[in-house]
C-alpha cells in the first residue's frame, strides 16, 4: 500500500491547482480522476455551445504571472474545447499529469483514528493512504438521476449534456427533442437548432438569461487588465462575488428615477454577462428592487421574440430574478424565431411520458430521433456523497449530511478530520468566481497543512460548535436574501429527497475570506488539533447532526 502526504480527488481546475500547490510545498501527492483527461466540468460537459459564463480575464488562474502571460484566450467567454485545452496546458506546463491516475474513481475513504490517516480505495483496486485528503470533486459534477417517466421506452439515442460523447453528435437531418432550459439547455439549443432538421424544446421553467455579447478577445482590454493585475486581484478579494466586472454598485434600485434605472440596466445588458446582478445592491434582498430587474429582462425577451404568443411562454415568472442560477446566452431567445424550432411549455402541456418515438405532453405526441437531456446536477453535495466517506467512529458523510450539508467554512466537516473541501457547501463557490474561490481555498488548505507539519500535529478536526455556528451564519445570510423563494439547485430542490437548504454562502466574498484568514491567524480557531487540543469528538464522539435545527 502506497502512502502519501495528500490524496487529491478530481482533476478539474481545483484539483490541478491543489496538486501544483501542495507539490510545490514539498508534499507527496497523488490525484485520482475518473475521466481520462483533466478539466473536470470542462472535460465532461462537451455539449455543443458549452461556454464559460464569466469573462476569461477573471476566469483564469492567477497563481503564475508567466502562465497568465503565455496563455491567450481567443474569445471573451471561451468555449469548452479552449477551456479543456487550457486545463491541459496548465497540467503539462507544471508537469502535473505524472501524479494523476486517470480513469480511476475513488469509491471509499476511511479515517483511521489510530494513525490519523485516510485510507482510500478506488474502482481500479488501488488502496493507498494519505495523511490528508483534498476533495476537489466539483460542485456540478454528478448528473442528477433521470426523473422522466417512461424514459426506457425511447428507441432513439439519448445524450446528456453533462456526459457528452467525445466524438460529438451529428444532428444533421435529425429530429431532436431537448429537455431543460437551464444554462446547459440555453447554451446548446441555439447550436443544435442550426444543425438539426427540427428541434423541439421542452421547457418546465422559463429562465432569465442575459446575452454574453461575446466576441474575440480585445488585446487592449487584456493589456489594461495585466497592467493593473495586482490591483484587480485586490479588488476581486474586496468584492461581493470575487469578480471585478460584476461587482455590486453602492446604490439602491429605489434611489434612482425610472429613466436612470433603465439606463443603468441597459448599460450592463450591453456590457453582457451576469454583471446586471450588481446594478443595485438590493436586487438580491428586496423583492420590489428585484422586480425592476426582472421586468427589465422580461421586456428584453419580449423584444427578441417575433410572435407575442411565443414570447409569453418564454417569459420567466414565479421566482425572483437571480434566485435560480441566471444564464448567459449567445442567441438563445432568437432561436425560437426559427421555423425548425418548436417550444413546448410543460406548464401548459405537462409531460406525460417518454414514448418509443418521443414525448407525450398535454395529450400531444412529439416525435424525434434524438433526445438531449440538459436536466442538471446533484449539485454541491452529490460527488462527495457518492463516495463512501467514513470519518471518526465510522460515521458516514452521506448520513451525516442527510439533514443538510454542514461544514465549517465550506472547508472541513466536523468528525472528518484531515479532510478538506475545495469550494464546498458553506463557501461562496458557485455564487461567484470559481477560479478565485479555488485558489483561495487551496492556498488556505496548503497553509493549514504547513502549520500542522511545522508543529508535528497529526489531526485537525472542526469542532461541532464551530461548525454549528458557521452553518447558522450560512443560514442567516441566505435568509436575508430572496434565494429561498425559488425552487433551485442552490436549495437542493432539483433532487428528490434532498434536504432543502441554501448550500453556498451568500454573506459576501470578502467577509468569507476575512473569516478564513482570521481562523488561520488564530491558530485554526474552531478546529481541534491533535495531539494537543483534543476535544470530545477526538475521543470518538461525533456531532449529532450537521446543521442547526
Ligand atoms: P440546471 O440549471 O439545473 O437546469 C436543468 C433544467 O432542466 C431546468 O430547466 C429544469 O427545470 C429542467 N428539468 C430538470 N428535470 C426536469 C424534468 N424532469 N422535466 C422537465 N424539465 C426538467 O442544469 P444545467 O446543466 O442547465 O446548469 C447547471 C449549472 O451549470 C448552471 O447553473 C451553471 O452554473 C452551469 P426546472 O428549472 O427545475 O423547472
Amino acid at each position: 500500500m502506497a502512502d502519501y502526504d495528500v490524496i487529491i480527488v478530481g482533476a478539474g481546475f481545483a484539483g490541478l491547482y491543489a496538486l501544483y500547490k501542495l507539490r510545490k510545498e514539498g508534499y507527496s501527492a497523488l490525484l485520482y480522476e475518473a475521466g481520462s483527461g483533466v478539466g473536470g466540468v470542462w472535460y465532461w460537459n462537451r455539449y455543443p455551445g458549452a461556454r464559460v459564463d464569466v469573462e476569461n480575464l477573471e476566469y483564469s488562474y492567477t497563481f503564475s504571472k508567466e502562465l497568465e502571460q503565455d496563455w491567450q484566450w481567443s474569445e471573451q467567454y471561451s468555449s469548452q474545447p479552449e477551456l479543456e485545452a487550457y486545463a491541459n496546458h496548465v497540467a503539462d506546463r507544471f508537469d502535473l499529469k505524472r501524479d494523476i491516475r486517470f480513469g480511476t474513481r475513488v469509491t471509499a475513504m476511511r479515517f483511521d483514528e489510530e494513525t490519523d490517516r485516510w485510507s482510500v480505495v478506488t474502482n481500479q483496486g488501488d488502496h493507498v493512504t494519505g495523511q490528508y485528503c483534498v476533495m476537489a470533486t466539483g460542485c456540478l459534477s454528478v448528473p442528477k438521476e433521470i426523473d422522466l417517466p417512461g424514459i426506457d421506452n425511447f428507441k432513439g439515442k439519448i445524450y446528456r449534456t453533462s456526459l457528452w460523447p467525445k466524438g460529438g453528435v451529428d444532428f444533421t437531418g435529425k429530429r431532436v427533442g431537448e429537455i431543460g432550459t437551464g444554462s446547459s439547455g440555453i447554451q446548446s439549443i441555439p447550436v443544435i437548432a442550426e444543425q438539426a432538421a427540427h428541434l423541439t424544446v421542452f421547457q418546465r421553467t422559463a429562465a432569465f438569461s442575459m446575452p454574453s455579447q461575446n466576441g474575440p478577445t480585445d488585446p487592449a482590454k487584456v493589456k489594461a487588465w495585466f497592467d493593473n493585475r495586482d490591483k484587480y486581484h485586490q479588488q476581486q478579494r474586496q468584492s461581493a462575488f470575487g469578480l471585478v466586472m460584476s461587482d455590486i454598485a453602492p446604490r439602491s434600485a429605489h434611489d434612482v428615477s425610472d429613466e436612470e434605472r433603465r439606463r443603468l440596466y441597459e448599460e450592463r445588458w450591453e456590457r453582457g454577462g451576469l454583471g446586471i446582478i450588481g446594478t443595485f445592491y438590493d436586487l438580491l434582498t428586496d423583492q420590489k428592487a428585484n422586480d425592476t430587474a426582472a421586468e427589465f429582462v422580461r421586456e428584453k425577451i419580449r423584444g427578441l421574440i417575433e410572435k407575442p404568443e411565443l414570447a409569453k411562454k418564454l417569459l420567466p415568472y414565479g421566482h425572483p430574478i437571480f434566485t435560480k442560477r441566471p444564464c448567459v446566452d449567445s442567441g438563445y431567445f432568437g432561436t425560437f424565431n426559427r421555423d425548425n424550432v418548436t417550444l413546448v411549455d410543460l406548464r401548459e402541456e405537462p409531460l406525460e411520458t417518454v414514448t418509443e418515438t418521443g414525448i407525450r405532453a398535454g395529450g400531444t405526441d412529439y416525435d424525434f430521433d434524438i433526445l438531449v437531456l440538459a436536466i442538471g446536477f446533484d449539485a454541491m453535495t452529490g460527488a462527495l456523497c457518492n463516495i463512501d466517506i467514513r470519518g471518526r467512529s465510522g460515521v458516514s458523510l452521506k448520513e451525516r449530511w442527510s439533514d443538510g450539508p454542514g461544514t465549517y467554512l465550506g472547508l472541513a466537516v466536523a468528525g472528518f478530520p484531515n479532510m478538506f473541501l475545495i469550494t464546498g457547501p458553506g463557501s461562496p463557490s458557485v455564487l461567484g468566481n470559481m477560479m478565485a474561490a479555488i485558489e483561495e481555498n487551496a492556498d488556505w488548505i496548503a497553509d493549514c497543512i504547513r502549520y500542522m507539519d511545522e508543529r508535528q500535529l497529526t489531526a485537525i478536526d472542526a469542532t461541532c460548535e464551530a461548525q454549528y455556528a458557521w452553518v447558522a451564519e450560512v443560514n442567516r445570510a441566505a435568509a436575508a436574501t430572496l434565494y429561498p423563494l425559488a425552487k433551485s439547485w442552490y436549495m437542493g430542490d432539483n433532487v428528490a429527497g434532498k434536504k432543502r437548504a441554501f448550500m453556498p454562502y451568500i454573506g459576501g466574498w470578502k467577509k468569507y475570506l476575512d473569516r478564513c484568514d482570521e481562523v488561520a491567524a488564530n491558530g485554526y480557531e474552531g478546529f481541534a488539533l491533535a495531539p494537543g487540543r483534543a476535544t470530545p469528538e477526538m475521543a470518538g464522539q461525533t456531532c449529532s447532526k450537521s446543521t442547526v435545527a
Side-chain angles (χ1 to χ4, degrees):
M1 192 190 306
D3 299 320
Y4 295 87
D5 294 325
V6 190
I7 305 293
I8 302 166
V9 188
F13 285 135
L16 291 179
Y17 179 58
L19 177 58
Y20 164 83
K21 176 81 185 178
L22 289 161
R23 229 171 55 179
K24 191 159 174 264
E25 294 278 313
Y27 296 110
S28 63
L30 179 69
L31 190 158
Y32 283 117
E33 166 55 49
S36 62
V38 296
V41 82
W42 301 115
Y43 169 88
W44 297 102
N45 289 262
R46 50 185 73 234
Y47 59 82
R51 195 175 284 289
V52 65
D53 54 16
V54 165
E55 273 195 64
N56 277 118
L57 277 182
E58 300 212 62
Y59 192 84
S60 297
Y61 285 120
T62 63
F63 67 86
S64 158
K65 218 173 191 167
E66 294 71 37
L67 169 66
E68 276 178 77
Q69 268 150 4
D70 73 12
W71 179 267
Q72 251 112 54
W73 298 103
S74 65
E75 295 174 281
Q76 291 168 53
Y77 295 84
S78 51
S79 60
Q80 177 274 332
E82 197 168 4
L83 288 151
E84 192 188 8
Y86 177 64
N88 276 288
H89 171 76
V90 172
D92 293 336
R93 194 183 200 286
F94 299 103
D95 189 22
L96 300 178
K97 289 180 183 168
R98 69 179 150 95
D99 289 321
I100 304 178
R101 298 287 171 277
F102 290 105
T104 309
R105 188 176 284 281
V106 170
T107 52
M109 292 168 35
R110 176 176 288 273
F111 186 70
D112 181 341
E113 291 176 62
E114 297 295 310
T115 59
D116 284 340
R117 294 181 70 82
W118 283 94
S119 148
V120 174
V121 175
T122 76
N123 65 349
Q124 299 299 324
D126 301 25
H127 190 173
V128 296
T129 76
Q131 177 95 46
Y132 299 97
C133 280
V134 174
M135 309 308 287
T137 40
C139 297
L140 295 156
S141 49
V142 174
K144 80 161 191 173
E145 266 181 42
I146 300 176
D147 51 358
L148 299 162
I151 187 70
D152 295 333
N153 295 333
F154 189 61
K155 295 273 189 269
K157 290 263 188 215
I158 299 179
Y159 297 102
R160 297 202 69 166
T161 46
S162 46
L163 296 169
W164 205 257
K166 274 193 180 157
V169 177
D170 184 5
F171 292 104
T172 318
K174 303 284 188 207
R175 295 165 308 159
V176 182
E178 178 151 1
I179 304 181
T181 51
S183 291
S184 306
I186 280 179
Q187 292 188 337
S188 53
I189 284 164
V191 186
I192 295 174
E194 276 179 16
Q195 288 174 23
H198 193 90
L199 173 65
T200 308
V201 175
F202 296 87
Q203 169 193 272
R204 184 163 70 182
T205 306
F208 287 101
S209 183
M210 275 50 80
S212 64
Q213 316 288 16
N214 191 23
T217 300
D218 173 359
K221 198 168 166 185
V222 174
K223 184 172 180 314
W225 180 269
F226 286 125
D227 288 349
N228 294 286
R229 150 186 202 280
D230 295 343
K231 185 183 88 186
Y232 285 138
H233 293 164
Q234 257 329 95
Q235 277 179 19
Q236 282 180 335
R237 246 189 162 256
Q238 305 291 321
S239 69
F241 301 112
L243 291 163
V244 175
M245 292 181 225
S246 307
D247 205 14
I248 295 187
R251 62 186 166 223
S252 158
H254 302 301
D255 287 350
V256 293
S257 67
D258 290 353
E259 295 72 42
E260 178 63 356
R261 195 183 308 114
R262 222 205 124 69
R263 189 189 67 73
L264 292 166
Y265 283 141
E266 197 71 57
E267 202 177 275
R268 296 220 178 193
W269 180 271
E270 283 309 315
R271 213 190 294 164
L274 296 173
I276 199 163
I277 202 170
T279 317
F280 302 103
Y281 69 71
D282 44 3
L283 296 183
L284 294 175
T285 51
D286 179 312
Q287 182 69 63
K288 285 205 164 74
N290 183 285
D291 288 344
T292 65
E295 196 40 44
F296 173 82
V297 174
R298 281 193 288 260
E299 208 181 300
K300 285 289 184 191
I301 297 171
R302 279 187 206 101
L304 290 166
I305 307 294
E306 286 161 9
K307 296 182 185 143
E309 272 315 296
L310 186 59
K312 241 185 187 169
K313 295 183 186 192
L314 287 160
L315 293 181
Y317 282 103
H319 61 279
I321 186 170
F322 310 127
T323 54
K324 280 166 88 81
R325 176 65 158 72
C327 306
V328 175
D329 70 271
S330 302
Y332 172 66
F333 292 108
T335 299
F336 291 93
N337 295 326
R338 296 174 67 105
D339 291 337
N340 71 333
V341 177
T342 304
L343 177 70
V344 178
D345 182 353
L346 297 175
R347 291 168 301 185
E348 288 172 4
E349 298 181 66
L351 194 154
E352 291 164 38
T353 185
V354 179
T355 64
E356 283 193 14
T357 53
I359 284 177
R360 186 171 309 136
T364 305
D365 279 307
Y366 298 91
D367 288 346
F368 29 80
D369 311 301
I370 295 174
L371 177 56
V372 174
L373 301 182
I375 57 174
F377 298 85
D378 182 354
M380 305 208 68
T381 55
L384 290 160
C385 291
N386 274 0
I387 303 172
D388 183 16
I389 301 177
R390 304 276 166 169
R392 288 192 190 283
S393 311
V395 168
S396 139
L397 182 73
K398 188 176 177 179
E399 280 165 30
R400 172 56 57 79
W401 278 5
S402 60
D403 66 346
T407 68
Y408 183 36
L409 302 169
L411 286 161
V413 184
F416 297 80
N418 296 6
M419 180 181 85
F420 296 109
L421 315 179
I422 299 186
T423 65
S427 76
S429 62
V430 290
L431 296 175
N433 184 349
M434 283 298 275
M435 280 299 214
I438 283 166
E439 289 188 337
E440 293 284 358
N441 279 174
D443 286 346
W444 189 96
I445 292 165
D447 287 348
C448 178
I449 291 176
R450 164 74 52 223
Y451 179 96
M452 298 285 293
D453 203 20
E454 283 171 359
R455 288 161 184 76
Q456 294 179 333
L457 298 166
T458 54
I460 176 163
D461 193 4
T463 66
C464 297
E465 291 67 31
Q467 179 163 301
Y468 290 161
W470 182 249
V471 171
E473 165 62 12
V474 172
N475 292 343
R476 183 207 58 74
T481 71
L482 303 171
Y483 281 103
L485 299 180
K487 281 181 80 180
S488 70
W489 60 254
Y490 291 138
M491 298 291 304
D493 289 315
N494 65 333
V495 172
K498 198 161 171 174
K499 163 93 177 170
R500 191 159 206 269
F502 190 72
M503 294 183 281
Y505 177 56
I506 181 68
W509 185 264
K510 173 175 163 29
K511 186 169 172 187
Y512 170 76
L513 294 180
D514 285 351
R515 183 71 194 124
C516 291
D517 285 352
E518 190 181 52
V519 163
N522 292 340
Y524 295 90
E525 185 184 2
F527 285 95
L529 309 176
R533 264 191 269 158
T535 68
E537 295 85 59
M538 293 203 152
Q541 294 176 30
T542 54
C543 315
S544 55
K545 54 191 175 164
S546 55
T547 53
V548 177

